[in-house]
Amino acid sequence: MSTREKVLWIVAGVAIVVYALFPVGWIVSLSLKSSDDIANGQFLPTALSWENYEQILVGDAAELFLPALRNSFGIVLIATFIACVLSMFAAYAIARLDFSGKKLILSTALAVAIFPVISIVTPLFNLWRQIGLYDTWPGLIIPYLSLTLPLSIWTMSAFFREIPWEMEQAAQVDGATTWQAFRKVIVPLATPGVFTTAIIAFFIAWNDFAYGISLTSTSASRPVPAALGLFSGASQFESPNGPIAAAAVIVTIPVVVLVLIFQRRIVAGLTNGAVKG
Amino acid sequence: MTTTSVKPGTGDTAASPAGRDPSDRARSEQRLGWMLAGPAFAVMLLVTAYPIVQAVWYSLFDYRLTDPDNISFVGLNNYAVILTDEIWWISFGVTVFITVVTVAVELVLGFALALVMMNALKAIRPVLRAAILIPYAVITVVSAFAWQYAFSLDSGFVNSWFDWVPGVAADTDWFGGTFSSLFVICLAEIWKTTPFISLLLLAGLAQVPDVLQEAARVDGATWWQRMWKVTIPNMKAAIMVALLFRTLDAFRVFDTVFVMTNGANDTETVSFLAYRQTIARVEIGLGSAVSVLLFLSVVVICVGFIKGFKVDLSQARGEK
């Protein structure tokens, strides 16, 4: 590669980084503007101010934001966990066993994944009100499974297919018991796939807005994205932009941290390009 | 851990396919398969099939939640009401517009990003990968707020930065008109979802055999010729998958519209219309009918893609 080409690719790379980070940088910058500064028409604040964060974490808006944060973490983690356990069994069966119905399960998962969420919300809204699940944690955990399960089944079975299952027999031939062979050979190979799937499922559920806004009405179960979406109407500040920006930054931090730590695995999971063991 | 309890049986079946009693073994494997995969299958059906059947059922009734005693069967009347109403066609048009614009831009942009990531120096590749995952991970609502605030009159910087562009002034109200609102909605959607498409395309690019590229290079093909004749035909499957998923996703756009315009100025999408009818106006019957129509649209898109894909494949084969 010539120097000129190298420089070109580096410039293109920098452009990508700017493209990806610019809106994030902007919302961080906005969250650090004081209320006098919000309308300064500039990208950066004239002076750094923590007042938006104070409002969100200890001030007037805390009672809106903090319960939502707790709901989001609780509901999303439980939904992710259930989806991972169920799809682990399913993916194991799909990758390992010969049974009719594999295709049916995989295509059902695909069909569920392309379902418009709003089409499910409409009847659930009514049903949940009748059976008392409206505005409760289970009332969101159950529909979140429609988001996390299909994806988990597809991603995990792609990972599990890549596992060289013969290795476990090889270990047995070498004198390991069935249990030892499974634990020492298969479990370490399967863990990254399960883990990656869990992270992606977490992202998807964390991102949900339609269920959150339709199936909840109070801070008993309203997750962060829905709380943010309704924030402008619910608050009495002159301009809710600053506090919303601060809240947006806080909910973005966990996902950005996850991305930075596990980027390799996330890419592998998203593209089903599990590396062969 | 829990999987281990079932392990011994499966280990045996996998270990000796030429066992003594293949039919017995096959049957037990069949049973075990369904035992393991059944719960996930059942949950998926329960959380989607049941609601959609109920939506179809409710769509045949005149049913308002505020007036629950007056439920009456109206047959397909709800559908007739919706399909003859301008509101449905406007929201349908808006949805198609957003879908076509965002998917087209994302495909080109995503391909460019994938090419850069593919060719970038090894040292900066992890940085690019991490950067490009950030829009994917940022929640849609946050991205919608970021873009809305950037363009809004009371907190934005876009007007003061771009006042040299004809048509943009210090007091340009981007959310005051249909097309300027849709422009910002599309920008936000494109930013948020291009990474997904470009990661899928990157995976496709990686699968194009180097040998073919080399051969074309030796034969004197230019960069463009190699791109059109070697690279793109070889990653058709990846392109189709990326396109299909993004189109389906874009057609269901909801969060961004909700945050940015709340459907004002004729920017309502089909998802938003279904939401507004059911949740905000508690018109369960009409809302269910919109939901069913949305579902049918998605199915049509899906079938269209699969059919179209097959046509493409045979054409590709014919060319060879």
Side-chain angles (χ1 to χ4, degrees):
Chain A
M1 214 184 272
S2 69
T3 322
R4 198 170 147 268
E5 270 184 331
K6 262 186 198 167
V7 170
L8 260 177
W9 287 121
I10 288 175
V11 169
V14 170
I16 289 185
V17 173
V18 171
Y19 166 84
L21 296 185
F22 188 73
V24 178
W26 154 244
I27 202 92
V28 171
S29 155
L30 185 64
S31 75
L32 293 170
K33 284 181 177 181
S34 69
S35 43
D36 311 326
D37 220 8
I38 290 273
N40 72 356
Q42 295 307 314
F43 187 82
L44 294 173
T46 46
L48 292 186
S49 147
W50 294 101
E51 79 180 55
N52 296 320
Y53 288 92
E54 273 169 32
Q55 234 172 38
I56 282 290
L57 295 173
V58 290
D60 302 339
E63 61 203 69
L64 281 168
F65 180 65
L66 293 180
L69 200 58
R70 198 172 52 232
N71 290 334
S72 262
F73 266 111
I75 294 169
V76 169
L77 285 177
I78 295 172
T80 305
F81 178 76
I82 297 176
C84 278
V85 171
L86 288 180
S87 52
M88 203 160 67
F89 290 130
Y92 179 86
I94 288 165
R96 191 72 198 276
L97 303 178
D98 191 23
F99 70 107
S100 65
K102 260 187 221 192
K103 266 216 168 117
L104 177 69
I105 290 165
L106 284 175
S107 39
T108 306
L110 198 60
V112 171
I114 65 160
F115 245 78
V117 167
I118 288 288
S119 298
I120 305 178
V121 158
T122 307
L124 278 187
F125 171 72
N126 208 17
L127 182 67
W128 272 194
R129 294 178 79 98
Q130 284 165 3
I131 61 175
L133 279 179
Y134 183 72
D135 203 22
T136 63
W137 276 30
L140 277 188
I141 292 171
I142 297 167
Y144 276 13
L145 291 177
S146 77
L147 301 173
T148 51
L149 252 185
L151 177 122
S152 303
I153 292 177
W154 270 91
T155 317
M156 233 188 269
S157 32
F159 273 116
F160 281 15
R161 277 206 195 96
E162 305 281 330
I163 295 178
W165 299 97
E166 314 78 37
M167 274 173 67
E168 154 195 40
Q169 283 141 34
Q172 284 184 42
V173 170
D174 287 349
T177 63
T178 313
W179 163 241
Q180 279 175 328
F182 185 81
R183 211 185 65 81
K184 299 249 160 112
V185 178
I186 298 303
V187 171
L189 288 174
T191 310
V194 174
F195 195 71
T196 303
T197 309
I199 294 175
I200 297 174
F202 179 88
F203 279 172
I204 303 267
W206 188 249
N207 190 31
D208 161 75
F209 181 69
Y211 285 131
I213 205 153
S214 312
L215 301 177
T216 66
S217 59
T218 67
S219 58
S221 65
R222 179 154 279 163
V224 171
L228 277 181
L230 293 176
F231 209 62
S232 30
S235 68
Q236 64 275 61
F237 329 113
E238 326 78 62
S239 155
N241 303 19
I244 289 181
V249 170
I250 292 175
V251 298
T252 306
I253 291 171
V255 286
V256 170
V257 169
L258 281 178
V259 159
L260 292 181
I261 301 177
F262 300 112
Q263 37 150 328
R264 240 204 143 86
R265 290 189 172 169
I266 297 168
V267 172
L270 281 179
T271 55
N272 284 348
V275 191
K276 277 190 182 164
Chain B
M1 286 172 289
T2 10
T3 11
T4 51
S5 57
V6 301
K7 172 58 205 44
T10 53
D12 289 344
T13 44
S16 48
R20 222 172 268 166
D21 194 348
S23 69
D24 239 21
R25 186 154 289 144
R27 224 173 302 142
S28 79
E29 199 162 328
Q30 174 86 12
R31 213 173 32 236
L32 185 64
W34 271 108
M35 247 165 61
L36 291 174
F41 184 68
V43 171
M44 281 194 300
L45 283 188
L46 209 72
V47 291
T48 49
Y50 178 72
I52 202 74
V53 169
Q54 215 189 12
V56 173
W57 176 245
Y58 279 138
S59 72
L60 304 175
F61 288 86
D62 181 11
Y63 179 13
R64 281 199 67 141
L65 211 56
T66 46
D67 189 12
D69 299 327
N70 276 328
I71 304 180
S72 58
F73 184 81
V74 292
L76 295 176
N77 192 41
N78 284 332
Y79 292 95
V81 169
I82 293 164
L83 291 174
T84 51
D85 195 321
E86 205 190 5
I87 291 179
W88 160 262
W89 293 109
I90 291 175
S91 66
F92 191 79
V94 166
T95 312
V96 170
F97 176 83
I98 294 177
T99 307
V100 170
V101 170
T102 56
V103 173
V105 175
E106 281 172 23
L107 192 63
V108 175
L109 192 61
F111 195 72
L113 295 191
L115 275 181
V116 174
M117 286 200 285
M118 184 81 181
N119 293 296
L121 309 177
K122 273 225 169 70
I124 60 169
R125 233 177 261 170
V127 181
L128 292 185
R129 199 171 43 206
I132 207 162
L133 274 175
I134 284 177
Y136 168 79
V138 166
I139 64 177
T140 315
V141 174
V142 168
S143 136
F145 272 121
W147 288 90
Q148 187 200 8
Y149 289 161
F151 281 84
S152 84
L153 276 176
D154 57 347
S155 62
F157 62 89
V158 168
N159 283 350
S160 54
W161 276 24
F162 293 96
D163 53 5
W164 49 272
V165 176
V168 179
D171 60 349
T172 302
D173 181 9
W174 292 86
F175 299 103
T178 307
F179 272 96
S180 53
S181 304
L182 288 179
F183 173 75
V184 185
I185 290 172
C186 287
L187 270 186
E189 285 284 303
I190 289 166
W191 176 76
K192 164 89 178 101
T193 51
T194 303
F196 175 75
I197 241 178
S198 85
L199 286 174
L200 287 186
L201 293 178
L202 180 63
L205 269 178
Q207 280 161 5
V208 178
D210 280 342
V211 194
L212 289 181
Q213 295 281 17
E214 268 320 303
R217 207 194 299 258
V218 169
D219 288 347
T222 64
W223 189 86
W224 272 110
Q225 284 172 328
R226 273 183 284 141
M227 186 55 68
W228 283 108
K229 304 272 166 163
V230 180
T231 310
I232 290 178
N234 271 293
M235 53 185 292
K236 219 167 200 166
I239 294 175
M240 288 311 294
V241 168
L243 260 184
L244 173 61
F245 279 107
R246 269 306 303 146
T247 306
L248 291 173
D249 231 25
F251 200 82
R252 296 175 288 180
V253 56
F254 175 69
D255 315 18
T256 309
V257 175
F258 187 101
V259 167
M260 282 193 175
T261 64
N262 217 345
N265 297 322
D266 289 337
T267 54
E268 196 168 68
T269 60
V270 176
S271 278
F272 193 88
L273 179 64
Y275 166 83
R276 195 165 60 87
Q277 289 297 334
T278 320
I279 315 290
R281 299 190 55 217
V282 291
E283 286 272 11
I284 303 290
L286 274 178
S288 297
V290 176
S291 299
V292 172
L293 287 174
L294 172 62
F295 172 63
L296 291 178
S297 314
V298 167
V299 170
V300 167
I301 293 176
C302 210
V303 171
F305 257 94
I306 291 166
K307 288 252 155 97
F309 186 31
K310 272 183 187 149
V311 169
D312 271 341
L313 262 187
S314 62
Q315 276 174 348
R317 247 180 250 135
E319 275 167 19
K320 279 174 195 169

